[in-house]
Amino acid sequence: MDANIDNRTPSELDTGLPHPARVYDALLGGKDNFAADRRVADAMRANPGSEIGALANRDFLRRAVTFLATEADIDQFLDVGTGLPTYPNVHEVAQSVTPSSRIVYVDNDH
């Protein structure tokens, strides 16, 4: 790996290279992706069932956060390894049932 990649500034971001978090966002129909990411997502969609994992992951997030907020009375959430927060985000789910919920997002994109 080129050592300079880890030292890029935001202005040096190569939007022509797909990124796993943005491909995931594109698979879910999100808006935080570029043409290169959409091309990979489109290629994945050519294989039947390729979106099932991404969709199942979001469905699980909805169910788990809703359960924790309503049944377990949890109002503080830590989302580790967030990637790009993709709809629905943890805060959107949690705050839809417990508006006072607080959420911290953490990721390390290296």
Side-chain angles (χ1 to χ4, degrees):
M1 178 185 279
D2 183 348
N4 292 327
I5 290 176
D6 290 336
N7 297 319
R8 293 181 295 184
T9 65
S11 63
E12 296 174 280
L13 176 67
D14 185 352
T15 60
L17 293 175
H19 186 280
R22 294 191 313 255
V23 171
Y24 180 76
D25 180 71
L27 280 171
L28 294 172
K31 61 176 181 49
D32 297 314
N33 53 73
F34 299 102
D37 308 307
R38 292 187 292 275
R39 282 192 297 276
V40 171
D42 289 344
M44 290 175 69
R45 286 187 190 103
N47 296 308
S50 64
E51 295 172 297
I52 291 173
L55 296 172
N57 184 42
R58 281 291 120 172
D59 189 47
F60 174 77
L61 179 140
R62 280 188 212 95
R63 290 191 324 271
V65 172
T66 298
F67 173 83
L68 292 170
T70 59
E71 302 297 321
D73 201 30
I74 292 175
D75 63 358
Q76 296 181 21
F77 295 85
L78 174 62
D79 188 344
V80 178
T82 303
L84 290 175
T86 301
Y87 179 82
N89 295 306
V90 172
H91 74 275
E92 291 167 320
V93 176
Q95 292 173 347
S96 72
V97 293
T98 307
S100 61
S101 292
R102 303 185 79 160
I103 295 83
V104 174
Y105 293 96
V106 180
D107 202 349
N108 182 4
D109 192 17
H110 280 294

